[in-house]
Amino acid sequence: MIPIRTFAAAMLLSTMLAQAAQPELSPEDKQDHEALRALLATFTEAFNTRNLDPLLPHLHPQFTVTMVNQDVVTSPGELKGYLAQQFDGPDALLTDVKIKPDADVLTAFVDGRIGINRGSSVDTYTLKDGRVVTLNTRWTGTAIKDSGQWKILNAHIGLNAIDNPILDGMEKLKWLWTGSALAVGLVAGFLLGWMFKKR
């Protein structure tokens, strides 16, 4: 068995080596990281309040966003239309959504003007029937520095297609319908048997 002190010393050494391996950020990189954090905050606030106007100046003219349901929007009009459909459309199921994205790593810069990042988000959906569903999503994002300003070029939001609360709810609903059908079948069988006996 490895002594606790030896294990602790090894962990401390590995942490120090990892920190030492990371290059020192330049003042420009630090400024860019702060600008991108502010951009993520603006994106989050816009979706949580459904007020997209403050976000629009931060969208690149050729931006694309793949939403959690895999719909793709490529213009401010499509983005506004997407949200209107989800909340106010004839088949709308939602009354509120709150997203809480968090980056996994510092943004990686390419040629000084492209920034690539990834992360996770805890998204809370309030349905019109009062149910609240929390989804753990993943996202990737690409920003581009345009005339000295960072703008969103691409964002993709993904959901675990195998393990998520929506599928769990559908599975429970399937078993509910199966149980109901079985109960109806038993009652119908009993009634038919009773009628034939009466004859």
Side-chain angles (χ1 to χ4, degrees), residues 169-185:
M170 291 176 65
E171 186 69 16
K172 291 177 181 177
L173 186 60
K174 181 185 75 174
W175 285 110
L176 177 62
W177 280 107
T178 301
S180 299
L182 179 61
V184 170

Side-chain angles (χ1 to χ4, degrees), residues 31 34 39 42 44 46 50 57 67 69-70 81-82 101 103 106 111 118 127 156-158 165 174 180 182-183 187-188:
Q31 185 176 0
E34 289 301 321
L39 181 57
T42 300
T44 303
R50 301 204 297 278
M67 312 304 291
N69 65 349
Q70 303 308 288
Y82 173 85
L106 283 176
D111 295 333
R118 67 180 188 274
L127 308 183
H156 190 288
I157 305 160
K174 181 185 75 174
S180 299
L182 179 61
V187 171

Side-chain angles (χ1 to χ4, degrees), residues 30-48:
K30 290 180 180 179
Q31 185 176 0
D32 285 335
H33 284 304
E34 289 301 321
L36 289 169
R37 291 187 187 100
L39 181 57
L40 180 60
T42 300
F43 185 92
T44 303
E45 180 70 11
F47 272 84
N48 286 346

